[in-house]
C-alpha cells in the first residue's frame, strides 16, 4: 500500500496542480460577481501553449532557453520530496527538506538569470524584486521547517508530517499555528500572490514574477506556467501538512481530507486576493520579516 | 617526507631560475610555472597518502634559535589543507603563465613568478611546520611573498595603497601570533607542537582569543577583513585566486591547529566562533552586493565563505562541548568540506574575473554585459562557479552547507533556550546568506555575461587563450565532481576529524556514514534532476521541430529606439537590498537629480565604504599617529645622536643583565 501511495503522490501533484489555479480564479470571479473562466482553463492554456511555435529575443543567449527546463525539472524533483499530507513522499531521507528548499533556490536562480538575459529593464526590475523577497522568505521557510523538525525529532519531510497529528496540536498548538502562518506568508510570497505581487496586474512596472517571463512564448512559457502551478502545489502542501493534522491511518480518508484542504487553500488564496489590496513594494520586506519573526518565535517555543 | 622536500626544492628552484631569466619572458614563465607544477605534483603524493591512510610523516632536526627546531610533520589535518593548496596552485600556475605574458613588454616577469613559487613554498611550510618558531618564519615568508605579488602593478597608486594596508594588517595578525607563542613557550621548555600538552586552564581562554584575532586577520573575519577588498582587486587574478582560495584558509588551519593544542572547549568558544561566523557571513555578502567591481565583490564573498566555514567549526566545537558525536562530525565535516569547496569555486571565479579583465580591460560590472556571446567558455565556467558559491544543488557548495544545516536541524543538540538561539542564528544565518548570495551572483553573472554590452569594453571583448580556458574548465569540473562524489569525500575525511575531535575512529566512521547516506540521496536527486532536465530538453526539441522559431526584439512597450544603456544595471539591481540594509551598509548616494526645467546632463553613483575600515581602523590609526607624533622630536636626523641611542640601549641592557 505504501509503495502505491509513494508512486501516486507525485503523479497526483503533476495532474492536479493546475487545478488550483483554476479554483483560485473561479473564487475571485465569484467574489467579483462574474461568471469567470472554466475551472479547467489552466489545462487548456497549457495545451494551447505546447502546440505553438516560439519567438526568441535577439538579445538572449542559451540561458534564456535553458531556464524554463531547469525550472520545471527542479519542480518535478522537488515534487518527489513532498509528502501528501501525512502520506510519505516518493523519496525521503534525512535532510530532504534542505534539498527541497534549495531546489526551489536553483529554479529561482535560473528564472532571474533568464530575465536578465533579455536586456529589458522591466525584467531586470522584476528580477531585482524577486531576489530581495526570496532572500527574506528563505529564513522564514527554513526556520519554520526547523520548528517542525525539532518538534517531531525528525529531519525528513515525510517523517515530520507523519508526526504532526492531533496530539501534536494539543501539545504544541501555538507553535504550530505560528509556523503555519509563517509558511502561509512564504507560500504567498514565493507564488507571487496578493499581498506581495498581483498576478493579474497589467502594468509592467509593478509586476514581479509576471514581468520576468514577458519574453517567453510557446512551449517555454508553458513550462514556466506549469512549473509555477507545481510550486503552488509544493508550498501549499507544506502549509496543509502542518495545519491539517488528519492522520487517521486510513489512506483514503487522509488523502481525501488533504486534497479537500488543498482546494480549500486555493479558495483561501482567492478570498485573500479578492479582499486585500497589494502591499506597496517598500512594505513587502516588513511583511516578510514579520514571517521570520513568527517562525523564530515558534522555534523558541518548541525548543525552550 | 622526502617527496615533500623534493617538491619544495623543485618549486623554489623553478622560482629562482625564473627570477634569473627575467629578461627572457618565455623562459622565465616556463621555469616558474613548470617548477610549481612538477614540484607541486610531487608534494601531492605524500599529502594524498596521508589524507587517505591517516598515518603521519615527520622529520625533525635541531635549530640553534631559542625554542626553535626544524620539526616538520604531515598529519591528516596538514594533508587536508595541503591538497587544495597544491592543486589550486598548480592550476593557477597554468593560468598565470598566459595571464602574465600580457605584461611582457612592461614588466620583469621573473619577479612575480619567483614570489608565486615562494608563496607556495611558504604555505606548504605553514601547514607542515610543527614548531612555534618555524611556524612564525613560514608564516612571515607567506605574508611577505604575497605582499610582493599584491604590489605587482606598483605604478598604480591604488595598488601601492592596497599593498600597504595588506602589509600592516598581516603584521598586526603576526603580532598577536607572536604573543600567542610567547605565552605557549612560557608553559614548557619547547615549542614543538607534540610537546605542548599541558596548557594551564587559566591560560587557554587568552590563547584562544589571541589565536582568533591573529589567525582571523589572515582568514578575514569581520571586522578584521579590511585588507581583503583592497588586496584581491590589486593582485594579478591568478594570485587573487590562490590568495582567496587557499591563503586565507591558512588562517582557518591555524585556528584548527590551535584547537587541537588547547584541550576541551568551553561553551563560550563555540558561541564566539558561531557569532563571528554569522557576522562575517551576513555582512560579507551584504557588502559584496553593494560593490561595483567584480574582484572586490568576490573578495567580500571570501569573507562570507570564511563565515560559513567558521559557523561549521563552531557547530562542531559545540558537539565536542556537549559530547554529541553526530553534531561534532557534521559540524567539522561541513566546515572543513567547505574549505575545500570554497578553494575550488572561488579559485574558479577569480580566474573567471581575470579572464573578464583580460578580455575587456575592466572589471567594473556596470560597464560590462553580453559577454556570454563573446566569451562562451568563461561564461559557462563562471556560471558553474556562481551556482556553486550560491550553495545550490547539484554542485559542491550545497553539499558542505547541507552538512552544517543537518547538524543543527537534527535533535542531537538538545533542548533549551541557548540551543534555540544557536539553531536560529545558524539556520537563519545560512538561509539569509544563501538568499543574499543568490541575489549577488545573479547580479554578477546576469549583468556581466547576459543582456547586451554596456560599453565598448564589453563590445570588443575577446575569449582567453587555451591555458587559461583549460584551468577554468578543470576547476568547473571540480565543482561538479566534488558535488557528485561528496559522500566519498566526507567518508575519507575521517582521519581529519579524528585528529580534531576527541572521539574513536569507529564512532566517527559510523556518524560519517549516516551523513554520507544523506548526501548519497542528494546525489541521486541531482542525477534525477539532471535527467528530467535532459528529457524536457528532448521533448522541447521534438515539439519545436517543424514549427516556427523566430527571432525578434525584446518586448519594449512599443518604444522605438531601445539601446543597451536602458538595461537594468547592477547598481539598480542591488538597490532594494542595499536600501533595506542601509543601517549596516551606509551607502552614500550624492543627490544629483536634475533641477532645472531644462535639465543639464547629470551623473549618479553610489559608494559603499567598508564600515569597519571607516569607523574602527581609521580612527584607531589616527589615534596611534597622534600619540606617535608627540614623540617625533626623537627623530631628528642626526646620525651621531642615533648612535648614542644604540649605545644607551646596550648600556641599559648590560646593567639590567648584571643586576
Amino acid at each position: 500500500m505504501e509503495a502505491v501511495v509513494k508512486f501516486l503522490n507525485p503523479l497526483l501533484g503533476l495532474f492536479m496542480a493546475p487545478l488550483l489555479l483554476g479554483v483560485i480564479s473561479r473564487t475571485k470571479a465569484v467574489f467579483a460577481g462574474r461568471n469567470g473562466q472554466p475551472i479547467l482553463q489552466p489545462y487548456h492554456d497549457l495545451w494551447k501553449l505546447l502546440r505553438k511555435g516560439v519567438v526568441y529575443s535577439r538579445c538572449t543567449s542559451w540561458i534564456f532557453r535553458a531556464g524554463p527546463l531547469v525550472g520545471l525539472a527542479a519542480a518535478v524533483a522537488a515534487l518527489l520530496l513532498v509528502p501528501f499530507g501525512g502520506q510519505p513522499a516518493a523519496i525521503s531521507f534525512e535532510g530532504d527538506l534542505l534539498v527541497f528548499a534549495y531546489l526551489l533556490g536553483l529554479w529561482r536562480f535560473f528564472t532571474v538569470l533568464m530575465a536578465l538575459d533579455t536586456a529589458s529593464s522591466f525584467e531586470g526590475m522584476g528580477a531585482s524584486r524577486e531576489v530581495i523577497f526570496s532572500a527574506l522568505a528563505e529564513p522564514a521557510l527554513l526556520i519554520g521547517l526547523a520548528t517542525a523538525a525539532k518538534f517531531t525529532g525528525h529531519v525528513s519531510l515525510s517523517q515530520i508530517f507523519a508526526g504532526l497529528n492531533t496530539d501534536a496540536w494539543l501539545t504544541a498548538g501555538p507553535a504550530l499555528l505560528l509556523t503555519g502562518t509563517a509558511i502561509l506568508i512564504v507560500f504567498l510570497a514565493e507564488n507571487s500572490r496578493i499581498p506581495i505581487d498581483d498576478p493579474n496586474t497589467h502594468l509592467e512596472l509593478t509586476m514581479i514574477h509576471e514581468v520576468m517571463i514577458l519574453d517567453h512564448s510557446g512551449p517555454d512559457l508553458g513550462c514556466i506556467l506549469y512549473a509555477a502551478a507545481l510550486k503552488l502545489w509544493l508550498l501549499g502542501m507544506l502549509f496543509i501538512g502542518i495545519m491539517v493534522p488528519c492522520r487517521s491511518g486510513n489512506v483514503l480518508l487522509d488523502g481525501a481530507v488533504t486534497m479537500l484542504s488543498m482546494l480549500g487553500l486555493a479558495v483561501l488564496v482567492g478570498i485573500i486576493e479578492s479582499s486585500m489590496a497589494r502591499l506597496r513594494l517598500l512594505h513587502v520586506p516588513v511583511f516578510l520579516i514579520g514571517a521570520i519573526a513568527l517562525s523564530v518565535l515558534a522555534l523558541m517555543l518548541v525548543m525552550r | 617526507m622526502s617527496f615533500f622536500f623534493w617538491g619544495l626544492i623543485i618549486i623554489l628552484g623553478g622560482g629562482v631560475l625564473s627570477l634569473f631569466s627575467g629578461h627572457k619572458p618565455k623562459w622565465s614563465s616556463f621555469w616558474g610555472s613548470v617548477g610549481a607544477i612538477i614540484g607541486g605534483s610531487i608534494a601531492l603524493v605524500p599529502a594524498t597518502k596521508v589524507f587517505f591512510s591517516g598515518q603521519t610523516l615527520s622529520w625533525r632536526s635541531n635549530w640553534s634559535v631559542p625554542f626553535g627546531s626544524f620539526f616538520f610533520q604531515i598529519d591528516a589535518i596538514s594533508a587536508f589543507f595541503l591538497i587544495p593548496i597544491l592543486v589550486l596552485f598548480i592550476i593557477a600556475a597554468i593560468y598565470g603563465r598566459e595571464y602574465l605574458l600580457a605584461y611582457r613588454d612592461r614588466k620583469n616577469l621573473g619577479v612575480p613568478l619567483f614570489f608565486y613559487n615562494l608563496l607556495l613554498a611558504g604555505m606548504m611550510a605553514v601547514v607542515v611546520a610543527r614548531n612555534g618558531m618555524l611556524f612564525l618564519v613560514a608564516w612571515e615568508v607567506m605574508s611577505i611573498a604575497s605582499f610582493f605579488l599584491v604590489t605587482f602593478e606598483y605604478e598604480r597608486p591604488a595598488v601601492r595603497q592596497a599593498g600597504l594596508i595588506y602589509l600592516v594588517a598581516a603584521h598586526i595578525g603576526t603580532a598577536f601570533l607572536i604573543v600567542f607563542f610567547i605565552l605557549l613557550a612560557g608553559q614548557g621548555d619547547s615549542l614543538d607542537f607534540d610537546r605542548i600538552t599541558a596548557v594551564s586552564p587559566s591560560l587557554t581562554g587568552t590563547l584562544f582569543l589571541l589565536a582568533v584575532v591573529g589567525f582571523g586577520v589572515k582568514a578575514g573575519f569581520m571586522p578584521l577583513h579590511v585588507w581583503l577588498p583592497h588586496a584581491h582587486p590589486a593582485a594579478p587574478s591568478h594570485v587573487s585566486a590562490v590568495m582567496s582560495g587557499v591563503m586565507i584558509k591558512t588562517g582557518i588551519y591555524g585556528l584548527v591547529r590551535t584547537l587541537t593544542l588547547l584541550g576541551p572547549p568551553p561553551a563560550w568558544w563555540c558561541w564566539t566562533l558561531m557569532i563571528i561566523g554569522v557576522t562575517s557571513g551576513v555582512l560579507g555578502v551584504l557588502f559584496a552586493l553593494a560593490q561595483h567591481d567584480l574582484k572586490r565583490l568576490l573578495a567580500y564573498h571570501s569573507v562570507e565563505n570564511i563565515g560559513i566555514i567558521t559557523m561549521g567549526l563552531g557547530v562542531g566545537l559545540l558537539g565536542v562541548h556537549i559530547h554529541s558525536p553526530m553534531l561534532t562530525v557534521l559540524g567539522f565535516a561541513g566546515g572543513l568540506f567547505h574549505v575545500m569547496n570554497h578553494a575550488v569555486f572561488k579559485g574558479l571565479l577569480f580566474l573567471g574575473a581575470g579572464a573578464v579583465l583580460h578580455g575587456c580591460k575592466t572589471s567594473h560590472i556596470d560597464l560590462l554585459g553580453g559577454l556570454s556571446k563573446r566569451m562562451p567558455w568563461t561564461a559557462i565556467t563562471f556560471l558553474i562557479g556562481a551556482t556553486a558559491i550560491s550553495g545550490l544543488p547539484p554542485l559542491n557548495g550545497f553539499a558542505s552547507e547541507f552538512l552544517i544545516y543537518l547538524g543543527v536541524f537534527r535533535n542531537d543538540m538538545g533542548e533549551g533556550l541557548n540551543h534555540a538561539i544557536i539553531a536560529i542564528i545558524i539556520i537563519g544565518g545560512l538561509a539569509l546568506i544563501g538568499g543574499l548570495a543568490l541575489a549577488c551572483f545573479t547580479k554578477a553573472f546576469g549583468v556581466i555575461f547576459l543582456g547586451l554590452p554596456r560599453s565598448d569594453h564589453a563590445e570588443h571583448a575577446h575569449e582567453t587563450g587555451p591555458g587559461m580556458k583549460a584551468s577554468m574548465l578543470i576547476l568547473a569540473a571540480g565543482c561538479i565532481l566534488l558535488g557528485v562524489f561528496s559522500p566519498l569525500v566526507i567518508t575519507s575525511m575521517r582521519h581529519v576529524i579524528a585528529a580534531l575531535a576527541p572521539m574513536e575512529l569507529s564512532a566517527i566512521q559510523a556518524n560519517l556514514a549516516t551523513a554520507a547516506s544523506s548526501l548519497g540521496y542528494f546525489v541521486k536527486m541531482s542525477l534525477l534532476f539532471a535527467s528530467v532536465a535532459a528529457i524536457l530538453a528532448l521533448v522541447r526539441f521534438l515539439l519545436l521541430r517543424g514549427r516556427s522559431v523566430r527571432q525578434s526584439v525584446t518586448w519594449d512597450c512599443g518604444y522605438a529606439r531601445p539601446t543597451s544603456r536602458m538595461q537594468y544595471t547592477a547598481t539598480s539591481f542591488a538597490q532594494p537590498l542595499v536600501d533595506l540594509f542601509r543601517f549596516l551598509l551606509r551607502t552614500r548616494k550624492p543627490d544629483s537629480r536634475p533641477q532645472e526645467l531644462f535639465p543639464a546632463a547629470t551623473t549618479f553613483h553610489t559608494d559603499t565604504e567598508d564600515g569597519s575600515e571607516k569607523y574602527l581602523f581609521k580612527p584607531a590609526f589616527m589615534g596611534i599617529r597622534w600619540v606617535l607624533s608627540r614623540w617625533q622630536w626623537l627623530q631628528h636626523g642626526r646620525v651621531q645622536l642615533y648612535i648614542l641611542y644604540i649605545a644607551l640601549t646596550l648600556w641599559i641592557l648590560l646593567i639590567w643583565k648584571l643586576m
Side-chain angles (χ1 to χ4, degrees):
Chain A
M1 194 65 196
E2 198 174 297
V4 179
V5 170
K6 280 186 172 184
F7 179 71
L8 281 180
N9 172 2
L11 284 184
L12 201 62
L14 286 178
F15 286 113
M16 301 297 271
L19 183 68
L20 299 180
L21 290 171
V23 173
I24 293 175
S25 59
R26 175 54 71 90
T27 313
K28 286 167 78 174
V30 168
F31 265 77
R34 291 182 279 116
N35 281 335
Q37 58 192 25
I39 219 157
L40 296 181
Q41 186 63 37
Y43 294 93
H44 294 293
D45 290 347
L46 288 174
W47 181 240
K48 186 182 73 188
L49 284 170
L50 282 183
R51 285 178 300 152
K52 286 191 172 260
V54 282
V55 183
Y56 290 119
S57 158
R58 278 183 206 100
C59 307
T60 58
S61 64
W62 61 271
I63 295 272
F64 187 80
R65 293 155 179 72
L69 307 179
V70 172
L72 187 52
V76 171
L79 194 62
L80 297 175
L81 297 174
V82 172
F84 186 67
Q87 319 289 342
I91 299 174
S92 73
F93 56 93
E94 275 207 341
D96 56 3
L97 48 87
L98 296 164
V99 177
F100 169 80
Y102 277 77
L103 277 172
L104 297 189
L106 181 67
W107 172 0
R108 186 180 313 128
F109 190 79
F110 272 85
T111 312
V112 170
L113 285 187
M114 62 194 189
L116 290 174
D117 203 9
T118 58
S120 147
S121 44
F122 295 132
E123 306 199 16
M125 222 175 265
S128 162
R129 291 167 187 162
E130 170 86 5
V131 293
I132 177 173
F133 298 155
S134 57
L136 294 174
E138 195 91 348
L141 175 66
L142 281 168
I143 297 177
L145 288 176
T147 310
K150 291 282 177 193
F151 176 70
T152 53
H154 294 293
V155 210
S156 120
L157 283 172
S158 297
Q159 284 174 306
I160 289 173
F161 283 4
L164 288 176
N165 46 22
T166 36
D167 286 345
W169 271 88
L170 290 177
T171 46
L176 289 177
L177 190 64
L178 289 171
T179 315
T181 317
I183 302 264
L184 179 65
I185 295 176
V186 173
F187 166 83
L188 293 172
E190 289 279 330
N191 287 304
S192 325
R193 316 298 314 188
I194 288 177
I196 284 91
D197 184 14
D198 184 358
N200 291 347
T201 180
H202 302 289
L203 190 62
E204 288 91 340
L205 283 173
T206 61
M207 298 176 186
I208 302 173
H209 184 255
E210 298 302 306
V211 77
M212 289 202 291
I213 56 173
L214 271 183
D215 271 281
H216 283 278
S217 53
D220 286 343
L221 185 59
C223 273
I224 293 172
L225 293 182
Y226 184 50
L230 287 179
K231 195 175 189 179
L232 200 67
W233 176 273
L234 293 170
L235 288 166
M237 213 34 111
L238 291 190
F239 177 71
I240 296 297
I242 291 172
M243 295 303 278
V244 183
C246 181
R247 310 283 185 265
S248 66
N250 182 336
V251 174
L252 289 179
L253 177 66
D254 288 0
V257 169
T258 309
M259 194 59 226
L260 284 178
S261 316
M262 274 307 264
L263 296 177
L265 176 64
V267 174
L268 176 69
V269 172
I271 295 174
I272 292 176
E273 301 217 335
S274 313
S275 57
M276 273 183 90
R278 210 186 70 170
L279 288 172
R280 280 178 62 195
L281 282 173
L282 290 174
H283 292 169
V284 174
V286 182
F287 189 55
L288 291 170
I289 291 168
I292 300 179
L294 291 181
S295 49
V296 162
L297 197 59
L299 185 58
M300 285 193 159
L301 282 177
V302 164
M303 282 186 75
R304 99 196 116 98
Chain B
M1 209 63 200
S2 63
F3 269 96
F4 181 82
F5 287 123
W6 274 114
L8 210 59
I9 290 167
I10 293 173
I11 290 165
L12 285 173
V16 171
L17 277 177
S18 82
L19 185 65
F20 284 115
S21 57
H23 51 284
K24 290 181 193 135
K26 281 246 154 143
W27 280 108
S28 178
S29 61
F30 171 79
W31 286 121
S33 44
V34 163
I37 292 165
I38 294 181
S41 313
I42 291 174
L44 210 49
V45 175
T48 31
K49 204 170 109 192
V50 170
F51 176 66
F52 285 107
S53 68
Q55 60 174 160
T56 53
L57 306 170
S58 349
W59 187 84
R60 197 192 293 255
S61 167
N62 288 328
W63 192 14
S64 57
V65 171
F67 289 102
S69 74
F70 286 110
F71 178 25
F72 295 98
Q73 189 181 52
I74 307 180
D75 67 350
I77 299 178
S78 307
F80 178 77
F81 280 86
L82 260 183
I83 293 172
I85 289 175
L86 292 168
V87 171
L88 192 61
F89 261 91
I90 291 171
I91 294 170
I94 303 173
Y95 180 99
R97 205 186 76 85
E98 256 176 52
Y99 188 83
L100 285 176
L101 279 177
Y103 293 90
R104 59 193 297 174
D105 302 331
R106 295 188 277 137
K107 292 272 183 188
N108 181 345
L109 297 189
V111 180
L113 287 158
F114 169 71
F115 281 114
Y116 181 83
N117 287 16
L118 188 66
L119 176 62
L120 172 56
M123 281 171 59
M124 286 163 70
V126 162
V127 292
V128 299
R130 283 297 179 285
N131 173 278
M133 294 303 283
L134 189 64
F135 181 88
L136 282 176
V137 171
W139 189 262
E140 270 308 278
V141 169
M142 176 176 87
S143 299
I144 301 286
S146 48
F147 164 75
F148 282 108
L149 287 168
V150 168
T151 52
F152 171 57
E153 290 184 78
Y154 55 82
E155 61 280 353
R156 284 165 46 202
V159 172
R160 289 200 297 273
Q161 165 88 0
L164 192 64
I165 290 175
Y166 173 55
L167 198 64
V168 172
H171 285 91
I172 291 176
T174 313
F176 278 88
L177 293 184
I178 291 174
V179 178
F180 171 81
F181 281 114
I182 289 175
L183 287 183
L184 263 188
Q187 294 291 303
D189 53 353
S190 171
L191 269 180
D192 288 3
F193 289 175
D194 58 342
R195 298 202 185 131
I196 301 168
T197 42
V199 180
S200 82
S202 58
L203 209 59
T204 47
T206 321
L207 286 174
F208 173 75
L209 284 181
L210 284 170
V212 165
V213 178
F215 291 121
V217 173
K218 188 62 85 186
F221 291 162
M222 270 292 163
L224 306 169
H225 67 283
V226 284
W227 64 271
L228 279 120
H230 289 282
H232 286 313
S237 296
H238 65 295
V239 175
S240 317
V242 294
M243 279 176 69
S244 178
V246 286
M247 195 187 79
I248 59 172
K249 308 302 169 34
T250 56
I252 297 293
Y253 164 79
L255 202 56
V256 166
R257 185 61 75 189
T258 311
L259 292 176
T260 63
L261 295 178
L262 292 186
W268 67 270
W269 293 11
C270 323
W271 280 92
T272 311
L273 287 188
M274 286 183 206
I275 288 169
I276 290 176
V278 174
T279 324
S280 306
V282 174
L283 288 178
V285 66
L286 277 177
F287 275 100
L289 258 170
Q291 300 309 314
H292 306 301
D293 180 272
L294 177 58
K295 289 180 83 179
R296 225 173 130 83
L297 178 148
L298 292 176
Y300 274 111
H301 268 286
S302 301
V303 178
E304 174 226 312
N305 281 284
I306 285 288
I308 295 175
I309 293 167
T310 316
M311 279 154 89
L313 294 182
V315 170
L317 217 54
L318 181 71
V320 178
H321 177 66
I322 62 171
H323 305 292
S324 160
M326 195 68 201
L327 195 60
T328 312
V329 165
L330 285 174
F332 283 144
L336 291 176
F337 190 26
H338 204 73
V339 167
M340 193 181 268
N341 290 337
H342 180 244
V344 176
F345 56 64
K346 186 50 73 65
L348 169 61
L349 289 168
F350 264 115
L351 296 188
V356 170
L357 193 59
H358 192 258
C360 307
K361 309 284 175 262
T362 180
S363 57
H364 194 293
I365 298 174
D366 282 335
L367 292 180
L368 299 166
L371 294 188
S372 69
K373 296 203 179 91
R374 289 159 184 82
M375 307 173 73
W377 291 102
T378 311
I380 178 86
T381 51
F382 197 93
L383 176 67
I384 290 174
T387 317
I389 200 174
S390 307
L392 295 174
L395 301 176
N396 59 350
F398 177 76
S400 41
E401 286 184 32
F402 176 82
L403 294 175
I404 304 174
Y405 264 127
L406 194 60
V408 186
F409 263 91
R410 284 174 56 102
N411 257 8
D412 303 296
M413 208 156 69
E415 307 259 295
L417 200 59
N418 273 348
H419 292 157
I421 293 172
I422 288 179
I424 288 162
I425 61 174
I426 299 284
I427 296 173
L430 278 176
L432 188 63
I433 292 170
L436 294 173
L438 187 145
C440 196
F441 274 94
T442 45
K443 161 185 140 170
F445 182 80
V447 173
I448 294 175
F449 289 96
L450 304 178
L452 295 173
R454 287 177 177 75
S455 71
D456 282 349
H457 290 289
E459 190 84 59
H460 300 120
H462 59 85
E463 183 61 290
T464 53
M468 286 163 77
K469 236 185 272 176
S471 41
M472 291 191 287
L473 282 171
I474 295 171
L475 286 174
C479 288
I480 297 169
L481 293 178
L482 279 176
V484 173
F485 293 107
S486 51
L488 268 179
V489 177
I490 67 155
T491 32
S492 47
M493 273 166 64
R494 56 187 181 273
H495 297 296
V496 186
I497 295 168
L500 194 53
M503 282 165 63
E504 293 294 320
L505 189 62
S506 58
I508 291 173
Q509 263 169 328
N511 286 308
L512 272 179
T514 316
S517 83
S518 282
L519 276 181
Y521 275 108
F522 150 67
V523 173
K524 279 178 209 150
M525 286 303 296
S526 308
L527 296 177
L528 195 134
F529 159 78
S531 31
V532 174
I535 292 170
L536 286 174
L538 184 68
V539 168
R540 185 178 63 181
F541 174 74
L542 294 176
L543 276 180
L544 289 182
R545 224 169 28 170
R547 292 194 197 158
S548 89
V549 177
R550 284 192 300 123
Q551 299 265 317
S552 179
V553 292
T554 297
W555 167 241
D556 50 10
C557 277
Y559 188 72
R561 289 285 304 277
T563 77
S564 67
R565 292 197 57 204
M566 287 178 187
Q567 289 175 92
Y568 230 46
T569 59
T571 312
S572 354
F573 184 80
Q575 177 265 333
L577 272 168
V578 171
D579 270 5
L580 182 66
F581 291 96
R582 61 185 172 275
F583 62 100
L584 290 170
L585 294 171
R586 303 192 170 272
T587 300
R588 280 185 305 167
K589 289 193 259 185
D591 193 3
S592 54
R593 272 174 285 190
Q595 301 289 349
E596 310 291 320
L597 278 178
F598 296 99
T602 186
T603 57
F604 174 78
H605 68 98
T606 64
D607 181 19
T608 309
E609 269 191 88
D610 196 292
S612 51
E613 189 180 329
K614 190 173 173 189
Y615 299 107
L616 192 67
F617 286 99
K618 269 193 185 153
F621 277 96
M622 292 301 271
I624 292 172
R625 194 167 145 187
W626 184 83
V627 171
L628 292 181
S629 66
R630 306 291 102 182
W631 293 86
Q632 213 172 10
W633 54 271
L634 281 171
Q635 185 195 16
H636 36 60
R638 284 194 210 122
V639 181
Q640 295 91 333
L641 281 180
Y642 287 171
I643 295 172
L644 182 66
Y645 293 161
I646 296 171
L648 271 177
T649 316
L650 286 174
W651 192 58
I652 291 167
L653 284 176
L654 196 66
I655 292 177
W656 184 51
K657 185 72 187 170
L658 287 176
M659 274 160 50

